[in-house]
Amino acid sequence: MMENLINTILSHVDDQSLQSISQKANTSPDQAKHALSNAIPILMNAMAKNSRDPQGAASLQQAVQKDHNGSILDNLGGFFNNPDAANGSGILSHVLGPKQQDAAEYISKDSGVSETSAHKILEYAAPLVMGFLGRNSGGGGMGIGNLLSSFVNNQRQEDPQKQSFLQKLFDMDHDGDIMDDLKEKGESLLGRFMK
């Protein structure tokens, strides 16, 4: 299911959209697709962690209902012509907080793109993930929290090594609670490891 969810989101990104991403992020289309396939589970994991907190779950639900009904997936050309309108950077600040740099570093190493390119691709991936959640969690479907939890649980079964790394990425003090980590400012990944 993990790969199916990632592929479902990626299926909306056609060759023309991928070309737009690669040009704006200064990568090849293949690198851009690889980076997107890394960015999506990072964002899904971060949102899943946030949604375990009642306040975080309410904020995510409100954001999806207000601004992310899934229509972005039907008009990717318009999105890539004016990506700032989708506020990808704002979503990243909300979802990843000070972990943005760590996430970009991971994507950079795994996908062979620069950290600047990785951060740009995260900005493009964030509205796509929010649009996917908006389209698939309403009505008679699963709630956002259930959809995200299902993704994380399936990822743990299908790719435990990657899931373990992502959990460490978002819970660097190993207390099982990401919320305090997201509030921390200014400490690098190395700095947290050195404690």
Side-chain angles (χ1 to χ4, degrees):
M1 181 176 177
M2 175 191 74
E3 291 300 330
N4 288 342
L5 276 177
I6 295 172
N7 289 334
T8 297
I9 297 173
L10 286 176
S11 70
H12 294 282
V13 183
D14 58 19
D15 289 342
Q16 185 175 353
S17 298
L18 203 57
Q19 191 70 36
S20 296
I21 295 173
S22 65
Q23 288 175 351
K24 293 177 186 297
N26 196 28
T27 69
S28 72
D30 285 345
Q31 285 178 317
K33 187 171 185 177
H34 190 170
L36 274 172
S37 70
N38 276 316
I40 291 167
I42 285 174
L43 292 166
M44 296 280 275
N45 271 272
M47 290 178 189
K49 294 274 190 181
N50 286 339
S51 70
R52 289 177 194 161
D53 173 80
Q55 186 176 353
S59 295
L60 185 60
Q61 183 75 44
Q62 184 178 11
V64 166
Q65 289 177 342
K66 183 180 177 186
D67 298 315
H68 303 282
N69 60 8
S71 60
I72 189 174
L73 300 175
D74 299 322
N75 185 25
L76 287 183
F79 165 49
F80 291 120
N81 284 333
N82 186 22
D84 292 341
N87 195 24
S89 62
I91 297 170
L92 288 186
S93 294
H94 238 3
V95 173
L96 293 178
K99 301 292 184 182
Q100 291 181 63
Q101 184 61 41
D102 300 332
E105 182 181 327
Y106 168 75
I107 293 171
S108 171
K109 288 179 178 177
D110 196 69
S111 307
V113 303
S114 71
E115 288 186 26
T116 301
S117 296
H119 194 276
K120 180 65 70 177
I121 287 169
L122 274 167
E123 288 185 3
Y124 292 139
L128 298 181
V129 171
M130 292 291 283
F132 173 81
L133 292 176
R135 175 165 291 180
N136 291 278
S137 61
M142 302 168 70
I144 293 176
N146 288 338
L147 183 62
L148 291 167
S149 293
S150 177
F151 173 83
V152 170
N153 289 336
N154 277 276
Q155 186 179 44
R156 186 177 294 119
Q157 292 176 2
E158 295 176 27
D159 195 345
Q161 186 174 359
K162 187 169 189 176
Q163 181 60 24
S164 175
F165 174 83
L166 291 177
Q167 285 182 323
K168 289 176 183 175
L169 176 66
F170 295 118
D171 183 24
M172 293 308 300
D173 57 6
H174 309 295
D175 66 350
D177 179 10
I178 189 177
M179 298 310 294
D180 58 343
D181 299 301
L182 289 177
K183 292 171 185 172
E184 291 286 343
K185 301 290 183 182
E187 288 195 77
S188 68
L189 182 65
L190 180 63
R192 299 302 290 269
F193 272 126
M194 296 297 287
K195 277 192 169 182

